Amino acid sequence: MILIARISGQHTRPMCYLLLLMILQLGLHTAEGVWPLPQTLISSTERFHLSPQAFYFGYGRQSAAQQGCSVLDAAFKRYFALIFPDYTSGRWNLFSDKNESKILLQICLVFSGRASLKAVTVWGALRGLESFSQLVYQDDFGSYFVNKTDIKDFPRFQFRGILLDTSRHYLPVQAILKTLDAMAYSKFNVFHWHIVDDPSFPYQSRTFPDLSSKGAFHPMTHIYTQSDVRRVISHARMRGIRVLPEFDSPGHTKSWGKGQPDLLTPCYKGGIPSGTFGPINPALPSTYHFMATLFKEVSVVFPDSYIHLGGDEVDFSCWKSNPYVRAFMQKMGFGSDFTKLEAFYMENIVNITSALNKTSIVWQDVFDYHERVSTPQQITHINYEVRSTYYAELSRMTKAGMRVVLAAPWYINHISYGQDWHNYYTVQPLNFSGTEEQKKLVIGGEVCMWGEYVDATNLTPRLWPRASAAAERLWSDEKQTSNVDMAFPRLQDFRCKLVRRGIQAEPLYVGHCKQEYQGI
């Protein structure tokens, strides 16, 4: 049996060819499915018995990485436990030449009793391990099997994200880590951490500690310390997931003002301050000094090359009421066009993050209000949910040379009765008016889980397996995965795999899983 994964990843460093080492015994059965569907999957009824005591991972002699490659060493341990969940010895196997009774497989040698996984990057190897783990199944007597299978695979889109909102409800670190696990099972590779917003500021800044001590729901229990952030980033990296932080401004910043005086705009009523505050004040030089200092820290804490700057849903009414803001607009020649004022602010923030060697991502409002803020180096995030609107946005943005991430059709915090996963599965991200060159600028998509009605009690069942429908759309060939009726049995089987792995994924319809409720 051969499993070949040719999967592009986040980095282009040549890497690990790895071998899956096992003793295989011949039999017959039907192979289980893989989710998301690989680009090419050829399976037969010929099956092989897998013995946990004689199953080994190892590196090929020609591999660019060997034992000591931390990502793969950890993945071997993790996937050994996933492949053999009932094997209780607590050990995992790495091949040693001293084990003369075992079979050492050479990469690309394909014949009975051997398996290999070939990948260009370490991240591709992780995806191949996931595919292999889904091929292994148990019979009614608890024996493990895998069918003879040939897979060649790569993702359709490079950016496959999940957004979690940790401001409207605080999500414990453990809930985030479990989400990262489930993301890896569905081959998502970007965790978009919408970490702060109007309701709370849980990120604990070393430079500005009052932001969380005064802006979080609780200054001790409902914050993310620097150690927490490092833990999330490390957990994500070991699963091939990048962490994209979002510090949304100038709107969505009420919690910021609790710990940073003079940052927000004072609102006026009848010519006098009303005692309320609006978006960040774009007219003060101190605003940009503060933002530059904060983002300097954030750029170190979050090492990814991407940073999300927000820029959406700015309420102009407070700016309009403030005489000093209006005077600043006249001085700048903006007249009464407050979209120009927002564009001015965002241009300054983009320049701050560019100086820190970060690629900025912004919500579509920034492009809509003033296209000069946007540059081809920047990425625009489409988030308004009307289908005709987001197709028009895709056409306009890509025509302007912008790279685009599509989130609009995958706001999965919405729920409805029935199999609404169909709605997420049947999205056609490239079905807009534009040239082939334009369509290459759509780098991927994102599932958004906004937090108004979501906390740790309902996050997982609301997210899974519905998000997995979008995962297949972002990974797999669209022509092979356009039929929901054909997808349903595979998704139902995958949902059962999630449940067995401790992910409390909600049911798709009536029925049952062979193994249910473990760890629930």
Side-chain angles (χ1 to χ4, degrees):
M1 189 221 53
I2 180 172
L3 173 66
I4 302 180
R6 295 175 182 168
I7 308 174
S8 61
Q10 302 162 332
H11 306 285
T12 56
R13 187 179 301 169
M15 66 114 305
C16 318
Y17 293 119
L18 56 139
L19 306 176
L20 304 174
L21 313 180
M22 63 197 76
I23 291 180
L24 305 175
Q25 298 175 5
L26 186 60
L28 292 174
H29 195 70
T30 302
E32 300 291 337
V34 175
W35 193 281
L37 186 71
Q39 303 295 329
T40 301
L41 185 151
I42 302 172
S43 183
S44 81
T45 56
E46 185 178 1
R47 74 174 185 175
F48 303 92
H49 176 249
L50 303 184
S51 170
Q53 294 87 351
F55 182 95
Y56 291 85
F57 291 109
Y59 295 92
R61 292 180 181 177
Q62 301 302 314
S63 172
Q66 295 293 328
Q67 191 169 357
C69 174
S70 60
V71 172
L72 288 177
D73 285 352
F76 292 162
K77 295 179 182 179
R78 198 164 62 247
Y79 276 100
F80 189 88
L82 291 173
I83 291 168
F84 303 111
D86 297 332
Y87 186 57
T88 57
S89 75
R91 68 185 182 93
W92 68 286
N93 298 333
L94 181 67
F95 183 84
S96 168
D97 289 336
K98 296 179 181 179
N99 291 321
E100 296 178 359
S101 63
K102 312 306 178 189
I103 298 177
L104 172 60
L105 308 184
Q106 296 298 323
I107 195 155
C108 294
L109 295 183
V110 185
F111 51 87
S112 180
R114 301 194 177 185
S116 68
L117 190 159
K118 183 178 179 181
V120 177
T121 69
V122 66
W123 320 115
L126 291 177
R127 309 305 173 216
L129 283 170
E130 176 58 39
S131 293
F132 178 79
S133 74
Q134 293 185 31
L135 291 171
V136 178
Y137 58 93
Q138 285 180 279
D139 66 10
D140 292 338
F141 303 100
S143 296
Y144 295 94
F145 293 92
V146 65
N147 286 61
K148 181 179 179 181
T149 307
D150 184 344
I151 290 176
K152 295 180 177 66
D153 206 5
F154 55 88
R156 183 185 183 199
F157 293 102
Q158 69 184 68
F159 188 112
R160 306 178 303 281
I162 295 273
L163 176 148
L164 294 186
D165 171 7
T166 59
S167 172
R168 292 175 174 89
H169 283 97
Y170 176 84
L171 295 176
V173 171
Q174 197 57 42
I176 296 174
L177 300 184
K178 177 158 280 195
T179 300
L180 292 169
D181 291 341
M183 286 175 63
Y185 303 151
S186 290
K187 298 178 183 171
F188 285 101
N189 68 341
V190 180
F191 169 40
H192 177 176
W193 196 348
H194 188 86
I195 193 167
V196 298
D197 207 295
D198 280 330
S200 72
F201 197 106
Y203 168 73
Q204 189 179 60
S205 167
R206 286 181 177 172
T207 313
F208 302 102
D210 282 351
L211 289 172
S212 62
S213 66
K214 297 180 179 179
F217 288 135
H218 190 282
M220 298 297 291
T221 60
H222 285 59
I223 60 170
Y224 300 107
T225 65
Q226 306 273 308
S227 177
D228 291 333
V229 171
R230 285 194 298 270
R231 186 180 175 194
V232 169
I233 291 172
S234 175
H235 195 90
R237 176 182 172 271
M238 299 303 279
R239 287 152 183 79
I241 298 169
R242 61 198 303 173
V243 178
L244 165 63
E246 180 181 358
F247 287 80
D248 191 359
S249 71
H252 293 282
T253 49
K254 289 181 181 178
S255 65
W256 301 43
K258 296 176 182 178
Q260 185 63 25
D262 302 321
L263 179 64
L264 303 185
T265 304
C267 305
Y268 279 67
K269 188 173 183 179
I272 59 174
S274 66
T276 61
F277 295 87
I280 284 177
N281 192 336
L284 298 179
S286 59
T287 290
Y288 303 102
H289 176 74
F290 164 79
M291 294 299 285
T293 306
L294 176 64
F295 278 121
K296 184 177 180 180
E297 175 191 311
V298 168
S299 69
V300 174
V301 175
F302 294 90
D304 195 87
S305 60
Y306 288 174
I307 188 167
H308 205 299
L309 303 179
D312 65 318
E313 301 178 331
V314 180
D315 184 351
F316 296 148
S317 59
C318 188
W319 284 351
K320 289 179 180 178
S321 75
N322 187 297
Y324 300 99
V325 171
R326 292 201 307 271
F328 176 78
M329 290 182 65
Q330 294 303 315
K331 176 183 175 183
M332 297 299 294
F334 297 157
S336 58
D337 187 349
F338 285 87
T339 65
K340 290 183 178 179
L341 181 60
E342 183 185 355
F344 170 81
Y345 171 83
M346 291 304 300
E347 192 170 3
N348 275 279
I349 302 305
V350 168
N351 290 340
I352 286 169
T353 53
S354 294
L356 296 168
N357 296 316
K358 296 289 187 179
T359 298
S360 59
I361 304 180
V362 295
W363 294 112
Q364 71 183 72
D365 291 17
V366 177
F367 179 87
D368 293 343
Y369 284 159
H370 212 300
E371 296 181 16
R372 74 185 179 90
V373 179
S374 305
T375 65
Q377 291 75 37
Q378 188 177 299
I379 298 170
T380 306
H381 212 148
I382 296 180
N383 58 312
Y384 291 134
E385 301 171 73
V386 179
R387 179 168 296 198
S388 60
T389 300
Y390 70 70
Y391 279 138
E393 287 286 303
L394 283 165
S395 184
R396 285 202 316 123
M397 290 176 182
T398 55
K399 189 174 182 179
M402 297 295 301
R403 289 181 293 164
V404 178
V405 172
L406 180 64
W410 292 305
Y411 270 40
I412 211 163
N413 47 286
H414 298 316
I415 58 173
S416 59
Y417 189 79
Q419 299 190 47
D420 61 352
W421 68 272
H422 293 185
N423 302 330
Y424 311 126
Y425 192 77
T426 53
V427 173
Q428 296 177 302
L430 302 185
N431 190 26
F432 64 92
S433 177
T435 65
E436 288 305 308
E437 289 304 309
Q438 282 179 249
K439 295 183 179 185
K440 290 178 183 176
L441 292 173
V442 181
I443 65 171
E446 182 174 275
V447 170
C448 294
M449 181 60 79
W450 297 103
E452 288 88 348
Y453 305 99
V454 176
D455 66 7
T457 66
N458 63 345
L459 170 66
T460 300
R462 186 171 292 196
L463 190 55
W464 308 106
R466 296 158 76 232
S468 301
E472 183 151 289
R473 182 57 51 240
L474 294 171
W475 180 279
S476 306
D477 178 74
E478 188 173 275
K479 292 179 181 178
Q480 296 183 61
T481 55
S482 59
N483 188 308
V484 293
D485 293 330
M486 292 180 65
F488 177 75
R490 286 189 303 107
L491 184 56
Q492 195 170 43
D493 177 67
F494 181 66
R495 181 259 168 177
C496 289
K497 289 186 172 80
L498 292 177
V499 170
R500 189 171 191 186
R501 293 179 179 189
I503 305 299
Q504 299 176 37
E506 70 177 17
L508 291 164
Y509 194 52
V510 298
H512 78 290
C513 297
K514 187 176 180 180
Q515 295 89 10
E516 290 190 316
Y517 313 126
Q518 293 183 11
I520 294 179

